[in-house]
Amino acid sequence: MARGTQTKGDAALRGITAVVAGLGAGELVAGAIPPHASPIAAVGGVLIELAPTWAIELGIQLFGSWDKVAILVSIVLVVVGLGAVAGLVERVRPPMGMIIVVAFGAAGLLAALLRGGNAMSGLPGLVGVVVAVLAFRLLPRALRRRPVGVLAAVPDVPEAAASDALEAAEPAPAAPEVGRRAFLAWAGGLTLVGALAAVGGATMSGLGRAGSAIASALRLPVPARPLPPIPAAAELAIPGLTPVVTPVADFYRVDTAFVVPKLAPEDWRLRIHGLVGQELELGWDDLVSFEFEEFDVTLVCVSNPIGGEYAGNARWLGTRIAPILDLAGPLPESDMAFSTSVDGWTASTPLETLRDPERSAILAIGMNGVPLPPEHGAPVRMIVPGLYGYVSATKWVTDIELTRFDRRTAYWTTYGWAPRAPVRLQSRIDVPQPGVALQAGPMQLAGVAWHPFTGIAGVEVRVDEGPWLAAELAAAIGIDTWVQWHLPWEATAGHHTLAVRAIGADGEVQTAARQGGIPDGATGHHSFAVRVEG
């Protein structure tokens, strides 16, 4: 298309339309095959794998469980931006714009092939590239459409002769209003179709369908020793206070899976190998033949900042890992269980913690009385009380290799995180919230404290520079869970600073020394200022 027949806006729109159409076509095809073949998912996964530690940590701190959505939005914005650039470049230096479109599509195709591991993984990306190239090539023709009545503008020439002459010649330049309307119609239509195709593809392979399918397929075994209901005394029922049992929908999610793996129970296998006397492989039916129990356990992410919300408490249904490992016969030299998720993520867990008879290290399949949701590790995940998730709580677990810490390095430890990471003693103020204006008078200060596998003996609160005051604890469910606390406070007008610290059942007092999450969990007192109005 000649440069003079299009504006800069037309050129940018041409590129945007092409890449959106290609993206939609690729995602639609991906909806019919394994989700890791999705070009967006593949690129997102590669970005997570290549991102430096500080970038991952920043993303978790800024977006929390929405970090994958943030990456998705960023990828889409970059794709749209590159499409606009390609259109503008093509306007002045063809075929460089076309090369940009092909190169970017090829990058998505390559990412899908690398992560998918088979030829079918590249099909969505290939379809996307072809559609993008066709749209990019054909869209300019809309600007050259011949207006109605052009034959009447040729005087003294028979209609048939005029028709033959026009077919043999280059198309006459379009009337501006006719060509532009056609171009905008085609561009708008293709963009809309591409967007709808992308949404349709995501829906076809989406979490909702997979979650319901997995949930309907799971038949949870009856626990051999069911736990009693949560005692009423464990819940203080103070408005704004974190509930003692976290609803499944509210449970935090922090992992590296850009697309939630969708592994049906009948497809799940667990291989136990390495430094063992006999390699072992289990299927779903093998697993549910073991004895199952209920366990109340609080999980904490190592990225949880002081006072953060990346902690949750649930009642898990699972079977103990130790008896299963014993069937494989760990060799005396092994000291680490190197567990792998179906998507390739790895964790290194001290073997002694998995075999400790006092610690409820389990393979979990249920959560708060329902089948484990896909986003929390269905059909099977690991739960190890007292350890941060990055060294223990492998979701979608399919492989456990018994090895040694001096021989293997797991996903996060390659980034400099500690290879062994017990959960830090922590406490948090939930009521009041920072920045909320308060009224002078009596009120309740309240929050939660945790030290899984140790338990909480006490919580103390300080107002301004006053003495540490002992708070009242709710009934503890067990040593592996957090506990609620509260303290009556007569608030006076002015600005005040609130702080809290916990005391572990082993006598440890929560340190005031502040440390970030890297390399083995944040430390310090949760403290913030409040304003009380008279």
Side-chain angles (χ1 to χ4, degrees), residues 424-448:
R424 301 277 192 175
L425 172 63
Q426 282 290 350
S427 56
R428 185 178 75 203
I429 301 172
D430 289 340
V431 182
Q433 286 288 307
V436 176
L438 306 175
Q439 295 296 319
M443 66 180 63
Q444 292 283 347
L445 306 179
V448 290

Side-chain angles (χ1 to χ4, degrees), residues 268-311:
W268 176 83
R269 306 292 294 178
L270 175 63
R271 180 186 177 214
I272 300 174
H273 60 107
L275 298 177
V276 297
Q278 179 179 341
E279 184 173 319
L280 184 66
E281 185 170 299
L282 302 176
W284 178 260
D285 291 338
D286 302 315
L287 181 68
V288 296
S289 68
F290 288 91
E291 182 177 270
F292 275 73
E293 304 174 59
E294 290 180 322
F295 305 86
D296 292 321
V297 181
T298 294
L299 298 185
V300 186
C301 178
V302 70
S303 298
N304 192 46
I306 299 300
E309 298 180 350
Y310 306 144

Side-chain angles (χ1 to χ4, degrees), residues 236 238 241 444-447 459 461 470-474 484-488:
L236 295 176
I238 296 174
L241 177 59
Q444 292 283 347
L445 306 179
V459 171
V461 181
E472 182 178 347
L473 301 182
Q484 295 181 341
W485 60 266
H486 74 110
L487 177 73

